[in-house]
């Protein structure tokens, strides 16, 4: 099975590669730290399985999935991400990916996911399954802001930039941007003024 890896953290890429290279039926044929580099490779090479992160510089993992589906419909895709927000998980699953596992899942779970996908099955890690089931039981929770999103909302209201928020919370600017998009989507607002009004109306700040 020819596998291509995409993640902007070199240490993580090396770790995944070392795990997969121990398996005689798996071969890592390439790796990239951006979606653009991955797309160029997939256009010119046959890839059986793409394993990608969601948080990538420039183009995110979701956009990458959509383009790979057009360029190479036979390529199977596993999302390996730290994101466990139900709305994002659902949005990614809607694109027809073959597996979704979290970065804190075990190496064994990654290999189980690859084996299941290779057999033509859809694989969701235990934590992702729980998130999906919970959202079916409590659908309103999907629209509620997480503690981190509330924290970021308060800083947005104080006119902090993405960089200021990232520095304050010790997270990357890209993670802040992802949270910001989720906040606007969940609150159904499309401007800073609308967001602040929503926040005050719902006692979020």
């Amino acid at each position: 099975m020819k596998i291509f890896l995409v993640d902007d953290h070199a240490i993580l890429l090396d770790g995944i590669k070392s795990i997969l290279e121990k398996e005689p039926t798996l071969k890592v044929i390439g790796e990239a730290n951006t979606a653009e580099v991955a797309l160029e490779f997939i256009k010119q090479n046959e890839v059986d399985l793409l394993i990608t992160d969601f948080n990538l510089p420039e183009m995110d993992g979701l956009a990458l999935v959509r383009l790979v589906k057009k360029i190479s419909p036979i390529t199977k895709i596993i999302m390996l991400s730290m994101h466990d927000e139900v709305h994002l998980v659902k949005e990614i699953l809607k694109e027809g990916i073959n597996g979704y596992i979290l970065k804190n899942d075990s190496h064994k779970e990654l290999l189980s996911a690859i084996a299941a996908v290779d057999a033509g099955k859809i694989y969701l890690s235990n934590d992702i399954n729980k998130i999906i089931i919970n959202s079916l039981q409590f659908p309103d929770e999907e629209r509620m802001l997480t503690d981190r999103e509330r924290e970021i909302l308060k800083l947005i209201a104080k006119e902090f930039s993405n960089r200021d928020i990232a520095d304050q919370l010790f997270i990357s600017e890209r993670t802040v941007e992802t949270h910001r998009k989720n906040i606007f989507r969940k609150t159904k607002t499309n401007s800073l003024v609308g967001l602040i009004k929503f926040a005050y109306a719902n006692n979020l700040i």
Side-chain angles (χ1 to χ4, degrees), residues 138-154:
F138 307 102
D140 286 344
E141 286 191 9
E142 188 177 339
R143 292 188 292 276
M144 289 170 58
L145 297 184
T146 63
D147 289 342
R148 175 64 91 189
E149 287 165 352
R150 285 171 180 249
E151 205 171 2
I152 289 172
L153 176 57
K154 287 174 183 174

Side-chain angles (χ1 to χ4, degrees), residues 114-130:
I114 293 170
V117 168
D118 191 28
K121 299 174 183 174
I122 303 291
Y123 189 94
L124 304 178
S125 70
N126 285 333
D127 285 341
I128 295 296
N129 267 316
K130 286 175 190 171

